[in-house]
Amino acid sequence: TVLDGAVKLDKDKFRLGHTKVFFRAGILGYMEEVREDKIGSVLSWLQAGARGKSSRMQFKKLQDQKLALYCCQRAIRAMMMAKTWKWLQIWLAIKPNLKCTQFGKYKKEYEDKIALAEANIDKAIAECNAVVNVHERLQGEKQELTLAL
């Protein structure tokens, strides 16, 4: 039973009744000491596991920071080295003037022009119709004068 396996208590140190366990004198104190030792060992095991997990997480965080720092250093070193290259200096001089880099500016200009045209389209259509009517009237008058002569 449990007393034989976990506590390693001899059969003559305790007796089992129907509903109770009877111990000889001094055995209860011994069992309290065993219990205290077991609780202490379990708690120290749990604490060691928690400390180990915390240390591993901290180490992983430091390792990630170190790798990020190496990456930043590599990028800065490459940029510092590339700044002296003539082709990069030419590219950096030309790039701001390229149309492809200013696409947003051109898009906004054309959108503004389209909005202005859409706002004035009704007025332009009315003016066009008025000019067409005047042209037709003048064409008719010309035709009448040509026939009269």
Side-chain angles (χ1 to χ4, degrees), residues 9-78:
L9 200 58
D10 292 334
K11 291 260 187 199
D12 59 344
K13 304 272 184 183
F14 68 95
R15 293 281 184 253
L16 296 175
H18 290 291
T19 58
K20 294 182 181 178
V21 178
F22 298 98
F23 295 105
R24 290 200 185 258
I27 297 300
L28 198 56
Y30 169 74
M31 289 197 49
E32 284 292 324
E33 289 176 14
V34 170
R35 184 178 75 87
E36 292 288 328
D37 291 341
K38 293 280 184 189
I39 289 174
S41 67
V42 168
L43 286 179
S44 65
W45 170 81
L46 185 65
Q47 187 178 26
R51 281 183 179 168
K53 175 72 173 173
S54 174
S55 297
R56 282 189 296 277
M57 287 172 54
Q58 181 70 19
F59 180 74
K60 175 80 168 113
K61 180 181 172 186
L62 290 174
Q63 211 172 23
D64 292 344
Q65 287 177 352
K66 184 173 91 173
L67 290 175
L69 182 64
Y70 285 161
C71 182
C72 290
Q73 285 176 340
R74 189 178 332 117
I76 291 170
R77 191 178 304 120

Side-chain angles (χ1 to χ4, degrees), residues 82-134:
K83 276 182 11 181
T84 61
W85 294 345
K86 290 296 179 189
W87 65 266
L88 183 64
Q89 291 173 356
I90 293 170
W91 172 252
L92 291 176
I94 293 173
K95 186 177 178 185
N97 299 328
L98 293 178
K99 238 183 178 180
C100 65
T101 60
Q102 299 173 357
F103 178 76
K105 183 177 88 173
Y106 290 114
K107 181 181 174 190
K108 181 160 180 13
E109 285 178 13
Y110 287 122
E111 285 175 350
D112 292 344
K113 288 179 183 178
I114 289 170
L116 182 64
E118 286 177 349
N120 295 330
I121 190 104
D122 293 333
K123 180 181 172 187
I125 290 173
E127 288 175 358
C128 180
N129 289 338
V131 170
V132 168
N133 290 337
V134 168

